[in-house]
Amino acid sequence: MSDSSAPLPPATVKCLVWDLDNTLWHGTLLEDETVVLPEAIREVIVGLDARGILQSVSSRNDHDLAWAQLEALRVADYFVVPEIGWGRKSEAVRRITERLNFAPSTIAFIDDQPAERAEVAYHLPDVRCYPAEDAATLLDLPEFSPRSVTVDSRRRRTMYQAGFRRTAEQERFTGPHEDFLRSLDMVMRIERATEDELSRVEELTLRTSQMNATGVHYPDEALRALLAHPSHEVLVTTLTDRFGSHGAVGVLLLEKHKEAWHLRLLATSCRVVAFGAGTMILSWLVDQAGRAGVHLLADFRPTDRNRMMEIAYRFAGFDEQPCGCRGPVAGSSGEDVQLLHLVPERRAAPTMARLVAPDLTDRRAPVTSGGPE
């Protein structure tokens, strides 16, 4: 019997690494009087960036001359962690992959030389390699066409560039880590999601595993149903600092009952663990429940990756103590889900960031508290 199932779409490319000479531009920089960037290639660079696909460079060239040429062509800002020098292309691509912390299977490499592509493919077999003549058609390929493009996707490059500047500043900082965090002038916003923001929420539930309390992915239609339900809150958290935006870094799905609020999902981005984002979110929610005079119940399903989230819940004070408030909620999330319990108390405002968040006891007014002004 033949298998009639449709083939799976190729995994989306997260970063395209460009060769320069006779690939990104026409001509050889160290030999020709001028090199030319075709308009079709410029459109590909801009188009990939708008889809949230990062781009870098692996080129055998003089670094300063090549970068000056990219600046003259007004495309230098589109490239992160470039590798321009005289070493092997495979080593350059490997360093780019490691600096971005991406899996090699999410990296693509484009070069006009078959020998260069073969060298990269030999040492990095999971990297997808493309000939230069395919460059103008990349936007039409499914692996360069993400299923959805969110607000954060469209500014992914600028968020990564801000992250590199932030990391460099931290490496130069000589004081305690807490002092460094205060120096960032962080602002955390917790907001009720709108229909336009649901793609950001869905993306977070899909991409976050280490800091996802249940490992459950909520598709768009499920989120829309929750958004329309009067007893549910769908909340998205964003974080900014003096270097720029971290984008959406957290999502909370909360169901309100008379005696308890049921936290069905908390997921936060791994990239902001060191900034204390999860702790600030949980502390705010505990304070809100304390204001409302209700207990907090939280779903937790252990996975092979979310041990850090369990620690965050335990540190916040959640336990397995029996309580009558569990009645309306018990069993509603599945047999393999632990239902953790907390008797909330008022919590102090965060000191590491200024918090702008809604008052969950009143659907009308946001509340600003804590942190640097």
Side-chain angles (χ1 to χ4, degrees), residues 84-324:
I84 303 173
W86 302 105
R88 292 193 311 190
K89 293 287 184 75
S90 63
E91 287 303 313
V93 174
R94 189 191 305 276
R95 287 191 294 271
I96 292 167
T97 303
E98 290 173 350
R99 284 201 66 188
L100 294 175
N101 197 27
F102 287 173
S105 59
T106 66
I107 304 294
F109 172 67
I110 187 163
D111 197 297
D112 66 305
Q113 296 294 322
E116 300 285 18
R117 299 195 302 271
E119 192 267 335
V120 170
Y122 178 80
H123 292 284
L124 299 169
D126 289 336
V127 171
R128 284 167 275 185
C129 298
Y130 299 81
E133 54 264 32
D134 288 354
T137 68
L138 294 180
L139 292 175
D140 299 325
L141 300 179
E143 59 265 39
F144 292 93
S145 304
R147 184 172 62 88
S148 64
V149 179
T150 67
V151 173
D152 290 343
S153 298
R154 290 191 288 271
R155 59 188 183 192
R156 183 162 288 140
R157 168 178 53 89
T158 59
M159 289 195 295
Y160 269 84
Q161 290 168 331
F164 294 134
R165 294 193 299 272
R166 191 180 294 114
T167 299
E169 176 76 8
Q170 184 172 5
E171 290 173 350
R172 292 190 294 267
F173 196 87
T174 57
H177 181 64
E178 291 77 9
D179 289 349
F180 172 72
L181 293 182
R182 292 188 182 93
S183 78
L184 292 176
D185 299 331
M186 292 188 291
V187 178
M188 173 177 281
R189 294 182 179 274
I190 302 174
E191 299 174 301
R192 291 184 169 101
T194 65
E195 289 198 3
D196 291 340
E197 292 177 312
L198 286 187
S199 59
R200 302 170 83 185
V201 177
E202 181 185 7
E203 184 180 42
L204 265 173
T205 70
L206 183 62
R207 293 167 62 95
T208 304
S209 57
Q210 293 183 42
M211 296 300 290
N212 186 318
T214 64
V216 174
H217 166 227
Y218 282 80
D220 182 82
E221 58 270 20
L223 291 170
R224 289 185 185 279
L226 294 178
L227 203 64
H229 200 290
S231 66
H232 284 77
E233 297 276 6
V234 180
L235 301 152
V236 61
T237 303
T238 58
L239 186 67
T240 59
D241 61 32
R242 60 187 172 89
F243 289 98
S245 174
H246 294 264
V249 299
V251 57
L252 298 91
L253 303 182
L254 188 70
E255 184 177 7
K256 293 179 174 179
H257 297 272
K258 183 177 180 180
E259 296 183 358
W261 289 354
H262 181 195
L263 182 56
R264 302 184 69 94
L265 175 71
L266 172 62
T268 62
S269 173
C270 298
R271 66 179 184 271
V272 292
V273 169
F275 299 93
T279 299
M280 284 190 281
I281 293 169
L282 270 177
S283 182
W284 166 79
L285 182 61
V286 171
D287 181 67
Q288 287 288 301
R291 288 172 180 262
V294 296
H295 290 191
L296 268 179
L297 299 168
D299 285 349
F300 179 75
R301 184 171 67 88
T303 71
D304 58 354
R305 301 196 66 190
N306 70 352
R307 173 66 175 162
M308 290 174 64
M309 182 58 81
E310 181 178 16
I311 292 172
Y313 274 157
R314 300 295 186 180
F315 187 77
F318 284 90
D319 56 34
E320 284 135 350
Q321 291 297 318
C323 182

